[in-house]
Amino acid sequence: QVQLVESGGGLVQPGESLRLSCAASGSNFWFYGAGWYRQVPGKQRELVASITSGGMTKYADSVNGRFSISRESANDTLYLQMNSLKPEDTAVYYCNRVSHQLTWGQGAQVTVSS
């Protein structure tokens, strides 16, 4: 059973950067594609960045050009580099497969505020 553990969240000011990490212990995490999702209270969880098993990336319009998803397959780790953060990026960020999703981890809180 793959366990997902997100880390790297925090409180930053607008314009600053953060790097999130997702440790995906177990096997076959990458097979169905992997992504970073975010959720704010009262709203549905949304996919903001994804990477296919072949390494192709895709971003939501709201983060395109500011966020970058990458992975380190040898260590089963997924990353999200977030630059030029905005207050509207404030959310709990989660990692998971794009399809055949696993049990969600606890997420990483990202707060962007001056």
Side-chain angles (χ1 to χ4, degrees), residues 2-4 22-35 76-78 95-99 102:
V2 179
Q3 292 184 320
L4 304 174
C22 168
S25 62
S27 61
N28 296 323
F29 179 66
W30 312 109
F31 185 75
Y32 298 102
D76 287 336
T77 304
L78 185 70
C95 62
N96 211 320
R97 291 173 177 165
V98 174
S99 62
L102 303 166

Side-chain angles (χ1 to χ4, degrees), residues 6-43:
E6 300 90 349
S7 62
L11 171 63
V12 296
Q13 294 189 345
E16 293 186 338
S17 299
L18 276 176
R19 188 192 196 200
L20 303 181
S21 299
C22 168
S25 62
S27 61
N28 296 323
F29 179 66
W30 312 109
F31 185 75
Y32 298 102
W36 283 97
Y37 301 75
R38 66 185 182 188
Q39 188 172 28
V40 297
K43 291 191 176 182

Side-chain angles (χ1 to χ4, degrees), residues 14-15 38-40 43 46 48 62-63 66-67 84-93 110-113:
R38 66 185 182 188
Q39 188 172 28
V40 297
K43 291 191 176 182
E46 65 168 336
V48 296
S62 58
V63 306
R66 300 188 297 121
F67 289 13
S84 302
L85 282 161
K86 303 176 180 180
E88 50 264 44
D89 295 318
T90 296
V92 180
Y93 285 73
V110 172
T111 303
V112 185
S113 175

Side-chain angles (χ1 to χ4, degrees), residues 19-30 34 36 51-53 55 57 68-81:
R19 188 192 196 200
L20 303 181
S21 299
C22 168
S25 62
S27 61
N28 296 323
F29 179 66
W30 312 109
W36 283 97
I51 184 166
T52 68
S53 58
T57 59
S68 178
I69 187 171
S70 62
R71 69 186 183 203
E72 193 171 322
S73 299
N75 296 324
D76 287 336
T77 304
L78 185 70
Y79 299 101
L80 185 67
Q81 177 67 42

